Amino acid sequence: SWSKPKIASFSGNHPDLEPAFSPDGKKLYFVSKRPVNGTPKNDFDIWFTEKSNGTWTEPKHLGAEVNTTMDEFYPSVAVNGNLY
Protein backbone atom coordinates (compact mmCIF):
# COMPACT_ATOMS: atom_id res chain seq x y z
CA SER A 1 0.00 0.00 0.00
CA TRP A 2 1.01 3.60 -0.49
CA SER A 3 1.99 5.82 2.42
CA LYS A 4 0.63 9.32 2.84
CA PRO A 5 2.79 11.81 0.84
CA LYS A 6 5.11 14.06 2.87
CA ILE A 7 7.30 17.00 1.93
CA ALA A 8 10.94 15.90 1.73
CA SER A 9 13.05 16.81 4.76
CA PHE A 10 15.27 19.12 2.66
CA SER A 11 12.39 20.82 0.84
CA GLY A 12 9.32 22.93 1.53
CA ASN A 13 10.81 26.43 1.72
CA HIS A 14 11.77 27.03 -1.93
CA PRO A 15 10.45 26.04 -5.36
CA ASP A 16 11.93 22.53 -5.78
CA LEU A 17 10.94 20.35 -8.72
CA GLU A 18 11.89 17.62 -11.20
CA PRO A 19 13.51 15.05 -8.88
CA ALA A 20 15.76 12.43 -10.48
CA PHE A 21 17.40 9.58 -8.56
CA SER A 22 20.86 8.34 -9.43
CA PRO A 23 20.77 4.73 -10.72
CA ASP A 24 22.02 3.43 -7.34
CA GLY A 25 19.37 5.47 -5.45
CA LYS A 26 21.96 7.15 -3.23
CA LYS A 27 21.66 10.64 -4.75
CA LEU A 28 18.64 12.72 -5.64
CA TYR A 29 19.08 15.53 -8.15
CA PHE A 30 16.47 18.25 -8.43
CA VAL A 31 15.88 21.75 -9.76
CA SER A 32 15.37 24.71 -7.42
CA LYS A 33 15.34 28.47 -7.07
CA ARG A 34 16.75 28.23 -3.53
CA PRO A 35 19.42 30.80 -2.58
CA VAL A 36 23.07 30.00 -3.29
CA ASN A 37 25.35 30.99 -0.39
CA GLY A 38 22.59 33.28 0.90
CA THR A 39 22.12 35.04 -2.44
CA PRO A 40 18.56 34.81 -3.86
CA LYS A 41 18.17 33.19 -7.29
CA ASN A 42 15.84 34.26 -10.10
CA ASP A 43 16.57 31.19 -12.22
CA PHE A 44 16.35 27.44 -11.64
CA ASP A 45 19.59 25.56 -10.91
CA ILE A 46 20.39 21.88 -10.37
CA TRP A 47 21.09 20.68 -6.85
CA PHE A 48 21.61 17.27 -5.27
CA THR A 49 21.28 15.56 -1.90
CA GLU A 50 22.69 12.23 -0.73
CA LYS A 51 21.15 9.52 1.43
CA SER A 52 23.18 9.08 4.61
CA ASN A 53 22.09 6.84 7.50
CA GLY A 54 18.55 6.77 6.14
CA THR A 55 18.13 10.54 5.78
CA TRP A 56 18.81 13.05 3.00
CA THR A 57 21.73 15.45 3.52
CA GLU A 58 21.60 19.22 3.14
CA PRO A 59 21.31 19.92 -0.63
CA LYS A 60 24.43 20.98 -2.53
CA HIS A 61 24.46 23.36 -5.49
CA LEU A 62 26.26 21.91 -8.52
CA GLY A 63 28.07 25.17 -9.19
CA ALA A 64 29.03 27.02 -12.37
CA GLU A 65 30.26 23.85 -14.06
CA VAL A 66 26.61 22.85 -14.52
CA ASN A 67 24.52 25.91 -13.64
CA THR A 68 24.41 29.15 -15.63
CA THR A 69 22.59 32.47 -15.29
CA MET A 70 19.74 30.84 -17.26
CA ASP A 71 17.38 28.05 -16.14
CA GLU A 72 18.60 24.45 -15.94
CA PHE A 73 15.93 21.74 -15.99
CA TYR A 74 15.32 17.97 -16.18
CA PRO A 75 18.43 16.43 -14.59
CA SER A 76 19.08 12.83 -15.53
CA VAL A 77 21.96 10.63 -14.32
CA ALA A 78 23.54 7.75 -16.21
CA VAL A 79 24.93 4.58 -14.59
CA ASN A 80 28.49 5.92 -15.05
CA GLY A 81 27.57 9.08 -13.10
CA ASN A 82 27.28 11.44 -16.08
CA LEU A 83 24.67 14.13 -15.54
CA TYR A 84 22.50 15.06 -18.51
Side-chain angles (χ1 to χ4, degrees):
S1 67
W2 290 90
S3 61
K4 185 176 179 181
K6 295 189 307 185
I7 295 174
S9 60
F10 58 86
S11 192
N13 296 317
H14 308 285
D16 297 330
L17 50 128
E18 299 171 356
F21 286 98
S22 60
D24 64 6
K26 294 180 181 179
K27 287 186 180 179
L28 175 64
Y29 293 83
F30 63 97
V31 174
S32 183
K33 280 190 174 182
R34 59 182 58 219
V36 177
N37 299 323
T39 303
K41 295 288 293 178
N42 292 323
D43 64 307
F44 283 98
D45 284 346
I46 299 176
W47 295 70
F48 77 97
T49 179
E50 298 178 271
K51 194 107 182 211
S52 176
N53 297 320
T55 60
W56 293 105
T57 62
E58 189 66 29
K60 296 175 187 164
H61 186 256
L62 287 180
E65 221 173 274
V66 171
N67 295 306
T68 67
T69 58
M70 305 300 287
D71 292 323
E72 281 71 48
F73 288 114
Y74 310 110
S76 179
V77 186
V79 172
N80 67 0
N82 286 351
L83 177 69
Y84 296 96

